């Protein structure tokens, strides 16, 4: 069991109170015990007697006969001494019981006050912790209030706000870099593609020129696909700014329709089963997520009797999409590696790709507060299910 800082502070404050209260109770008990001994009582009686006689004008002899220090020999004296001792012991016992009772009640009150005080002391830390826990789901433009005394917590708030400002600036710079890189890189890629197309469409290109143009066009397409995937990952970090109503069923229908010519050419049968599954998210990212699932299922399929199944439905407040295929056999232990960037698995090295399809699916699902599950098929292939929070219909005004 892990103890929180608040629990530790409460225990520390309570322990300090218990020690101080224990010292106070012990000191009071010893003081009363020492003040009620027969010798101390006899000295008090002697002093009070002298004061009373002095008030009446009677003066005691200068050398009074000392009182016997031992126990009295007569029965009456012995009985009086026993009564005095019993009365003293009863007083001490009653004092001890009352002190312990007061000590216990005070300890309970002290623990409650210590718990409250620890909460008050740690409240600024809780505010910073809550703010930090929402950064991955909200935006980086939020700041903590810096009002209050210029103490350690005030300096901590200012330092945290400064860190947020630097993070926001870094994220904005990355977004600008991604946009600038997209613009600058697509222009030379377009020029290369146009040059390759000119060679391929010329009346009688040489065999070497045709092979070189085909290779250039293939590599340009690969570079363009890789750049699109990287920009998709960069866009995913800014998804909170572009939340719109989206229906996974409509997106799946469009994606499957666009992939049908390719599936027909490859001899892959696509089975589509969709129902309404409204979500709130970035339409571009959601479309890319489903397109990657379908593309991955088509790309890594078997040569004969190939098939892909795409299901979309809603269940228990979740919108779900599941894509399965009849690809090569996979081990369950190898599946997590497929969701790592630029990792395509040992059995997928023969298929063209850049290893960003499933990582993009996982990233898009995560920024939409969703989860991704994947498992191997009984007869080979892979099934991937994405679960996103379903969009709640707003009540009519």
């Amino acid at each position: 069991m892990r103890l929180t800082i608040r629990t530790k502070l409460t225990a520390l404050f309570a322990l300090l109170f218990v020690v101080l209260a224990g010292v106070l109770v012990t000191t009071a008990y010893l003081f009363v015990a020492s003040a009620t001994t027969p010798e101390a009582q006899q000295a008090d009686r002697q002093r009070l007697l002298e004061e009373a006689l002095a008030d009446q004008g009677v003066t005691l002899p200068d050398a009074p006969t000392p009182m016997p220090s031992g126990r009295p020999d007569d029965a009456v004296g012995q009985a009086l001494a026993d009564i005095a001792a019993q009365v003293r012991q009863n007083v001490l016992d009653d004092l001890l019981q009352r002190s312990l009772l007061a000590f216990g009640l005070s300890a309970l009150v002290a623990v409650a006050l210590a718990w409250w005080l620890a909460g008050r002391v740690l409240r600024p830390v809780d505010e910073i912790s809550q703010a930090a826990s929402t950064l991955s789901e909200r935006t980086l433009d939020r700041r903590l209030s810096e009002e209050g005394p210029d103490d350690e917590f005030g300096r901590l708030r200012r330092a945290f706000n400064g860190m947020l400002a630097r993070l926001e600036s870094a994220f904005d710079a990355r977004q600008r870099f991604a946009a600038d890189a997209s613009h600058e890189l697509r222009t030379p890629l377009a020029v290369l593609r146009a040059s390759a197309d000119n060679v391929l469409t010329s009346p009688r290109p040489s065999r070497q020129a045709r092979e070189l143009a085909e290779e250039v066009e293939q590599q340009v397409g690969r570079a363009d696909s890789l750049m699109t995937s990287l920009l998709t990952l960069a866009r995913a970090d800014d998804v909170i700014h572009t939340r719109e109503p989206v229906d996974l069923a409509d997106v799946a229908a469009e994606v499957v329709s666009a992939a049908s010519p390719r599936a027909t050419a490859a001899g892959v049968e696509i089975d589509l089963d969709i129902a309404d599954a409204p979500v709130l998210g970035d339409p571009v990212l959601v479309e890319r997520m489903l397109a990657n699932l379908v593309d991955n299922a088509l790309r890594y399929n078997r040569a004969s009797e190939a098939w892909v199944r795409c299901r979309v439905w809603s269940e228990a407040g979740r919108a779900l999409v599941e894509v399965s295929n009849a690809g090569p056999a996979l081990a369950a232990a190898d599946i997590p590696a497929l969701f790592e960037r630029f990792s395509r698995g040992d059995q997928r090295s023969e298929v063209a790709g850049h290893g960003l399809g499933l990582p993009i699916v996982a990233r898009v699902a995560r920024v939409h507060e969703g989860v991704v599950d994947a498992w191997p098929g009984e007869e080979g292939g892979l099934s991937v299910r994405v679960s996103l929070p379903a969009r709640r219909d707003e009540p009519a005004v």
Side-chain angles (χ1 to χ4, degrees):
M1 178 180 179
R2 299 178 58 184
L3 298 179
T4 63
I5 297 297
R6 186 176 186 181
T7 303
K8 293 179 181 179
L9 286 177
T10 301
L12 182 62
F13 293 155
L15 179 61
L16 179 62
F17 169 80
V18 168
V19 171
L20 294 178
V23 172
L24 179 61
V25 170
T26 303
T27 302
Y29 181 84
L30 294 177
F31 177 78
V32 174
S34 62
T36 57
T37 58
E39 292 79 7
Q41 291 179 345
Q42 180 63 33
D44 288 341
R45 293 191 188 98
Q46 181 71 23
R47 179 177 57 80
L48 293 175
L49 178 60
E50 291 177 355
E51 292 177 356
L53 293 177
D55 292 339
Q56 300 296 326
V58 179
T59 303
L60 292 178
D62 295 335
T65 303
M67 298 292 294
S69 59
R71 295 176 62 86
D73 295 334
D74 60 291
V76 175
Q78 179 65 38
L80 292 176
D82 292 341
I83 291 174
Q86 184 62 40
V87 170
R88 175 176 177 272
Q89 187 61 42
N90 291 340
V91 170
L92 293 178
D93 292 344
D94 184 67
L95 173 64
L96 181 61
Q97 292 177 2
R98 294 176 182 272
S99 299
L100 292 178
L101 178 60
F103 173 78
L105 294 176
S106 301
L108 294 178
V109 175
V111 169
L113 290 177
W115 178 263
W116 175 80
L117 180 61
R120 293 277 297 181
V121 171
L122 296 176
R123 181 177 298 175
V125 179
D126 289 337
E127 294 176 357
I128 297 175
S129 177
Q130 292 175 3
S133 64
T134 59
L135 291 180
S136 59
E137 302 174 1
R138 300 294 193 275
T139 60
L140 292 174
D141 58 352
R142 291 190 175 184
R143 298 294 183 268
L144 297 176
S145 174
E146 297 183 1
E147 297 180 357
D150 186 16
D151 54 8
E152 289 81 358
F153 290 125
R155 292 191 292 272
L156 179 60
R157 288 193 185 94
R158 288 192 295 273
F160 188 78
N161 287 338
M163 181 191 68
L164 291 180
R166 291 189 295 272
L167 285 175
E168 184 180 15
S169 177
F171 272 83
D172 290 342
R174 188 184 67 174
Q175 294 295 331
R176 290 193 300 270
F177 172 78
D180 295 341
S182 173
H183 176 73
E184 296 297 331
L185 290 177
R186 287 187 185 277
T187 300
L189 288 177
V191 173
L192 289 174
R193 178 170 290 170
S195 300
D197 290 340
N198 288 334
V199 173
L200 294 175
T201 57
S202 61
R204 288 182 296 178
S206 64
R207 184 175 62 85
Q208 184 178 6
R210 177 176 291 276
E211 291 177 354
L212 181 60
E214 290 176 350
E215 178 67 19
V216 169
E217 191 172 50
Q218 181 180 359
Q219 294 302 324
V220 167
R222 179 179 173 84
D224 185 72
S225 176
L226 176 60
M227 185 175 60
T228 301
S229 297
L230 292 175
L231 291 176
T232 300
L233 288 173
R235 179 186 175 90
D237 295 321
D238 201 35
V239 65
I240 190 62
H241 299 301
T242 52
R243 294 287 181 107
E244 301 176 8
V246 182
D247 197 319
L248 295 183
D250 297 337
V251 178
E254 294 177 1
V255 168
V256 170
S257 177
S260 293
R262 176 186 168 193
T264 302
V268 180
E269 180 184 354
I270 300 182
D271 180 20
L272 180 62
D273 180 12
I274 58 176
D276 291 340
V279 298
L280 194 65
D282 187 319
V284 175
L285 291 180
V286 172
E287 187 275 335
R288 175 52 51 188
M289 179 183 70
L290 269 70
N292 281 7
L293 287 175
V294 174
D295 178 75
N296 192 75
L298 290 174
R299 187 186 301 271
Y300 303 102
N301 218 309
R302 58 192 180 192
S304 61
E305 298 182 357
W307 53 265
V308 172
R309 296 192 182 96
C310 179
R311 295 180 55 213
V312 178
W313 75 101
S314 296
E315 181 179 272
R318 309 289 293 184
L320 302 103
V321 55
E322 180 178 312
V323 178
S324 306
N325 71 344
L330 289 172
D334 297 333
I335 292 179
L338 302 179
F339 290 89
E340 298 178 2
R341 296 185 181 184
F342 303 105
S343 175
R344 299 166 53 220
D346 296 336
Q347 299 178 348
R348 300 187 167 199
S349 58
E350 300 179 356
V351 181
H354 42 70
L356 286 176
L358 291 181
I360 288 178
V361 171
R363 178 59 181 163
V364 172
R366 186 162 55 250
V367 298
H368 286 85
E369 302 176 3
V371 294
V372 179
D373 296 317
W375 61 93
E378 297 180 357
E379 300 179 357
L382 181 69
S383 296
V384 181
R385 177 182 296 175
V386 179
S387 173
L388 304 179
R391 185 179 77 245
R392 297 180 180 180
D393 294 332
E394 297 182 357
V397 179

